[in-house]
Amino acid sequence: MEAFSDDILVFIKKECSRYETRRSAIIPCLYKLQEKRGWISPEQIGQLAVAMDIPPVQINEVMKFYTMFNQQPVGKLHVQVCNNISCTMNGSRELTDHLCKTFNVKSGEVSSDGRVTVSKVECLGSCDTAPMMQINDEYYENLTPESATKIIEKLGK
Amino acid sequence: MLNCKVNGKEIKVKQGTLVIDAIKQADYDVAHYCYHPGLSVAGVCRLCMVKIGDNPRLQIACNTPVQEGMEISNEDEQVKDAVKWGLDFHLINHPLDCPICDQAGECELQIQYMKFGQYDPEMAEKKVKKRKVVDLGSKIVLDTERCILCSRCVRFTDEVSKTNELGIFNRGDRSEVGTFEDKPLENDYALNTVDICPVGALTSKDFRFRQRVWYLKNQSTICTGCSTGCNVKVYYNEEGLFRVKPEFNEDINGYWMCDQGRDVYKFVNKDFRLLEAQSVTEGQAEPLSAGKAAQLAGEKLKELTKVNGPESVGVVVTGQYTNEEYESLFDYMVNKLKVKNIYHWVNNSDTMDDFDGLLLRGDKNPNTYGLKEIMKKYSIQTNMSDLEGAIKSNTIKTIVVAGPENQAVYPDFNERASLFSQASNLIWFSAGPVSAATSKHTLVIPTKTYAEKSGTYVNYKGTHQSSHKVTTIVRGALSLSDSVTLMSGESILTKPVGPQKAMKTNFFVNKSGEL
Ligand code: SF4
Ligand code: SF4
Ligand code: FES
Ligand code: FES
């Protein structure tokens, strides 16, 4: 296992002193870790726990609560389909199933060519344009199965 | 003091009292899962709903402090309805595997359902399946599907044991309790989480599948595992003791006990006990009844003190007996037989003063304090190390041992036993078998354990606590006091002293006629 680089350690230290409690710095630190590989491993949580001097379970709680932190490697295009109430009422379950079928992946897993991951996420705060998805850092709204497929195919080229 | 009304009943409560405690104080039942008086307030289960005054919105009782003149109701129809549907939500994804669940019979879901639920479930969705039988180390098994996410166990490891193993991961209906990477939950207080878990999510490996709780009775007693003297309840039936749980005592143990104390029932059970007395003369063993053996011991001691003088007798006492037993033993030895060579057998002098900061102490005897007091009273100042020389030089020819009930906490047990065996006469009072006692003339007499007798234990800080007889495991065993009575030639009244009235564990077993 790779040790944290100095810049990560400096970052953690700075974030920890920034808030009233060190626990508040968990989210920025997790983002920092995810930056490099796109996902966070349990070993990294263990290391982070030591660096932050926080029990690992508390970091794990935060990481697993938020769908924006990836617990496994993801494909080049990380398609995150909102599956919360408004989107579900507007057909996001069907949308997710359609995308999984089209790109031949199981939800949460990486396609065999390493290009696409389709995952279900919680509300992304864009309920008025449901159903919607986020691909990497961009929002795509008012989707239909067809339009979503097109968007992904275009991005994949 | 504040005045308030609970379901119309007027009571006075202390400033700062929570509504939930006020309701309990007024002797009313209140449904709740997440509130625990020994932990911080979480307010997550939403079951403790009450109506306050004319406030149209119900409030949770566990996070609302009582105010002067408050009118609290939890018998209102609105409250009952809220609790009922709250319960429905808790049960949406619950597996309802009561038939194979250890908590059945003392499960808060069952209890509250019988009191407040009794609805027709209206959930059409499939249940969310979660991980079952997660191994959390040597003591605990976790079933995440049964968990109702009350967070009591998480707060316990955060606030009480301060070991921070447990957490709640994911969110919504996929939330799951667990440890980081399924690491074992091995802290010294871990089994308290099993007690406070209102459902069968956390179960004890030791107790799992061994008994249905409704076949067990329980009674209060004192843990004899160390000099803290935690107040506990033991659960038992005709076959013996099955488990130990803590009982609240503000001064001693609060709501908790240590995990080592949970094992302080095992040596009480028949498999580990000396069932009848044994007289061994030059290798020839002969069984006899405890009463006969005690009488025989008395006759022997009388003669030996006459022939060889009282200085030839050494008495070794452990800190595992009650004050009453010490009184009778010392009275007999010192006043009757004039024996003054009485020694305190300290099992672990190096770790005797250890303390883990919470409850567990290094002195693994319940009554070292009481023993020291009585030795002081009889002005006996002896040192165990002198005994060795006295045996070797044959100035002490007879040894009487009031041995430990729990031999497991005496690491020097066998070593001492072989030392005592060098004396030509050995009389040993013991709850368990003593195979290392091999003097020329050996008499081993079975004694009762703490669960089988009543008496007083004095804890490390001098608090006297009386413990009551729970049950009888070995019929032939004697308490030390009874043995002494027999030794001095008197007879013991075998008036049957029944145990205290036992409580059945299960609420519904008591109420079965009404169901
Ligand atoms: S395991 Fe038990 S105590 Fe812990 S959160 Fe779940 S129900 Fe509560
Ligand atoms: S701390 Fe001591 S008295 Fe309390 S439960 Fe543990 S062993 Fe028993
Ligand atoms: S429910 Fe999908 S964005 Fe809010
Ligand atoms: S006991 Fe009040 S919300 Fe759980």
Side-chain angles (χ1 to χ4, degrees):
Chain A
M1 187 177 44
E2 214 184 312
F4 285 164
S5 62
D6 284 346
D7 68 309
I8 289 190
L9 287 173
V10 170
F11 179 88
I12 294 171
K13 209 166 165 204
K14 199 181 90 215
E15 288 300 313
C16 282
S17 58
R18 184 166 172 157
Y19 305 98
E20 224 164 89
T21 66
R22 285 195 307 279
R23 280 180 87 163
S24 309
I26 294 178
I27 291 188
C29 291
L30 285 173
Y31 266 129
K32 186 80 186 168
L33 289 191
Q34 186 160 282
E35 237 170 45
K36 211 167 159 196
R37 290 194 300 171
W39 68 289
I40 303 162
S41 67
E43 290 76 36
Q44 281 179 306
I45 301 277
Q47 278 175 298
L48 184 59
V50 176
M52 294 182 77
D53 190 18
I54 285 181
V57 71
Q58 290 176 1
I59 301 180
N60 222 28
E61 280 182 323
V62 174
M63 182 183 74
K64 293 198 164 185
F65 184 85
Y66 294 107
T67 47
M68 71 242 185
F69 296 120
N70 302 321
Q71 297 162 44
Q72 289 137 40
V74 290
K76 265 212 193 80
L77 295 179
H78 186 195
V79 181
Q80 301 151 66
V81 189
C82 170
N83 266 255
N84 220 303
I85 292 178
S86 309
C87 292
T88 301
M89 286 169 68
N90 281 296
S92 70
R93 285 188 187 169
E94 295 75 12
L95 175 64
T96 320
D97 291 346
H98 175 82
L99 294 179
C100 286
K101 223 164 117 195
T102 314
F103 297 98
N104 196 19
V105 283
K106 280 202 193 117
S107 124
E109 292 177 8
V110 194
S111 61
S112 51
D113 57 3
R115 294 222 333 242
V116 187
T117 294
V118 178
S119 55
K120 298 177 190 168
V121 300
E122 303 294 342
C123 180
L124 292 169
S126 191
C127 319
D128 55 329
T129 57
M132 60 82 65
M133 65 183 176
Q134 177 182 345
I135 302 183
N136 298 345
D137 291 331
E138 296 292 325
Y139 276 17
Y140 300 88
E141 301 161 313
N142 292 316
L143 301 169
T144 62
E146 293 72 34
S147 69
T149 313
K150 256 194 215 133
I151 294 167
I152 299 170
E153 274 168 353
K154 206 163 132 209
L155 286 171
K157 281 209 180 110
Chain B
M1 287 306 237
L2 298 169
N3 298 298
C4 68
K5 263 191 190 170
V6 177
N7 296 332
K9 186 168 172 183
E10 283 187 32
I11 55 162
K12 279 190 196 310
V13 299
K14 280 202 210 105
Q15 187 85 31
T17 304
L18 294 167
V19 169
I20 195 165
D21 290 325
I23 300 176
K24 288 184 186 170
Q25 193 185 319
D27 254 346
Y28 283 100
D29 245 359
V30 50
H32 63 284
Y33 291 142
C34 67
Y35 177 71
H36 190 285
L39 301 171
S40 65
V41 172
V44 292
C45 76
R46 317 309 287 182
L47 223 59
C48 62
M49 292 291 189
V50 287
K51 195 172 167 69
I52 293 177
D54 309 325
N55 204 336
R57 264 190 69 191
L58 301 180
Q59 273 167 276
I60 52 172
C62 67
N63 206 10
T64 312
V66 174
Q67 277 164 12
E68 177 59 36
M70 222 178 216
E71 291 191 11
I72 303 156
S73 162
N74 78 333
E75 292 195 325
D76 194 279
E77 282 310 313
Q78 200 186 344
V79 173
K80 285 189 183 158
D81 202 50
V83 175
K84 186 165 171 172
W85 296 118
L87 207 55
D88 192 7
F89 274 108
H90 277 296
L91 286 167
I92 286 177
N93 290 314
H94 192 82
L96 287 178
D97 50 359
C98 312
I100 54 151
C101 177
D102 259 307
Q103 190 84 3
E106 55 182 7
C107 173
E108 286 292 324
L109 283 170
Q110 293 177 333
I111 294 171
Q112 304 303 352
Y113 182 81
M114 294 311 285
K115 285 192 198 156
F116 300 100
Q118 308 200 16
Y119 52 78
D120 291 318
E122 289 176 22
M123 197 63 193
E125 296 282 310
K126 277 199 181 139
K127 290 193 178 193
V128 178
K129 299 273 190 307
K130 291 182 199 167
R131 299 191 309 149
K132 294 181 88 68
V133 206
V134 182
D135 189 344
L136 287 189
S138 61
K139 303 189 250 195
I140 294 171
V141 179
L142 167 68
D143 186 309
T144 63
E145 215 167 43
R146 292 180 190 154
C147 167
I148 53 154
L149 301 164
C150 70
S151 82
R152 276 184 181 178
C153 59
V154 178
R155 280 174 281 147
F156 179 86
T157 56
D158 283 356
E159 297 162 11
V160 182
S161 69
K162 300 204 168 63
T163 43
N164 303 93
E165 292 102 336
L166 288 163
I168 292 174
F169 309 125
N170 307 335
R171 65 165 130 170
D173 56 5
R174 276 150 295 146
S175 299
E176 201 180 288
V177 74
T179 58
F180 176 57
E181 292 287 284
D182 289 344
K183 287 232 169 74
L185 185 57
E186 296 284 13
N187 72 65
D188 286 341
Y189 294 84
L191 285 165
N192 288 296
T193 62
V194 174
D195 295 338
I196 58 178
C197 181
V199 299
L202 293 163
T203 47
S204 148
K205 277 196 177 167
D206 183 41
F207 184 67
R208 237 167 111 78
F209 304 139
R210 286 180 55 223
Q211 271 297 333
R212 277 308 195 181
V213 295
W214 52 84
Y215 293 130
L216 296 176
K217 293 181 221 158
N218 67 68
Q219 259 181 78
S220 306
T221 179
I222 309 290
C223 174
T224 56
C226 81
S227 59
T228 299
C230 294
N231 290 203
V232 295
K233 258 188 183 163
V234 294
Y235 291 74
Y236 65 98
N237 64 15
E238 310 69 44
E239 287 166 40
L241 272 46
F242 282 86
R243 66 170 177 186
V244 185
K245 283 184 177 228
E247 201 168 38
F248 179 65
N249 183 331
E250 199 175 351
D251 288 338
I252 311 277
N253 55 315
Y255 294 92
W256 321 116
M257 71 183 291
C258 79
D259 285 359
Q260 286 182 21
R262 309 256 175 185
D263 286 338
V264 180
Y265 74 89
K266 295 187 174 155
F267 67 83
V268 173
N269 285 342
K270 266 213 176 96
D271 290 351
F272 303 97
R273 295 290 295 279
L274 179 66
L275 301 179
E276 52 186 356
Q278 273 209 325
S279 148
V280 189
T281 314
E282 320 220 359
Q284 267 327 72
E286 184 200 331
L288 69 169
S289 80
K292 264 266 153 49
Q295 281 165 343
L296 197 67
E299 284 158 21
K300 260 184 149 182
L301 281 173
K302 208 163 154 193
E303 197 188 305
L304 286 166
T305 41
K306 206 184 272 168
V307 179
N308 301 330
E311 324 74 57
S312 73
V313 177
V315 182
V316 178
V317 192
T318 55
Q320 302 226 327
Y321 293 84
T322 62
N323 276 0
E324 292 76 3
E325 288 170 301
Y326 290 144
E327 285 288 351
S328 48
L329 180 72
F330 276 67
D331 176 54
Y332 172 69
M333 288 298 171
V334 182
N335 297 342
K336 280 230 173 76
L337 296 181
K338 312 286 175 222
V339 172
K340 288 222 146 182
N341 299 324
I342 304 182
Y343 302 90
H344 178 187
W345 177 0
V346 180
N347 46 332
N348 41 355
S349 44
D350 304 340
T351 51
M352 199 72 172
D353 298 323
D354 286 2
F355 176 48
D356 72 351
L358 203 51
L359 292 172
L360 186 59
R361 288 177 189 272
D363 178 4
K364 301 267 173 267
N365 296 290
N367 204 9
T368 300
Y369 196 105
L371 176 56
K372 282 190 175 155
E373 289 282 280
I374 190 130
M375 293 193 63
K376 219 184 278 160
K377 182 173 146 193
Y378 280 88
S379 345
I380 290 166
Q381 284 168 318
T382 51
N383 201 329
M384 194 63 174
S385 54
D386 302 337
L387 181 62
E388 189 168 348
I391 293 175
K392 294 220 159 109
S393 63
N394 207 19
T395 37
I396 284 186
K397 301 187 176 72
T398 303
I399 305 252
V400 181
V401 186
E405 265 176 28
N406 186 2
Q407 297 177 7
V409 295
Y410 276 63
D412 55 351
F413 188 82
N414 284 335
E415 187 194 318
R416 292 284 184 212
S418 40
L419 169 68
F420 303 151
S421 299
Q422 290 172 24
S424 43
N425 291 293
L426 179 58
I427 297 165
W428 196 308
F429 293 96
S430 179
V434 191
S435 54
T438 52
S439 282
K440 222 157 148 207
H441 305 279
T442 308
L443 202 53
V444 190
I445 302 172
T447 52
K448 291 183 171 170
T449 59
Y450 74 98
E452 298 163 287
K453 61 193 179 194
S454 300
T456 311
Y457 295 102
V458 191
N459 84 346
Y460 72 98
K461 60 177 177 188
T463 308
H464 287 60
Q465 302 197 85
S466 47
S467 119
H468 298 280
K469 175 179 171 182
V470 174
T471 180
T472 298
I473 306 283
V474 175
R475 295 219 162 265
L478 294 169
S479 71
L480 204 52
S481 315
D482 285 348
S483 309
V484 168
T485 312
L486 289 169
M487 281 157 80
S488 44
E490 290 156 39
S491 58
I492 44 172
L493 276 182
T494 43
K495 68 165 186 282
V497 194
Q500 318 151 259
K501 199 170 169 297
M503 280 289 294
K504 285 255 176 62
T505 303
N506 185 307
F507 173 82
F508 294 104
V509 172
N510 283 335
K511 301 236 167 192
S512 56
E514 296 167 24
L515 276 181

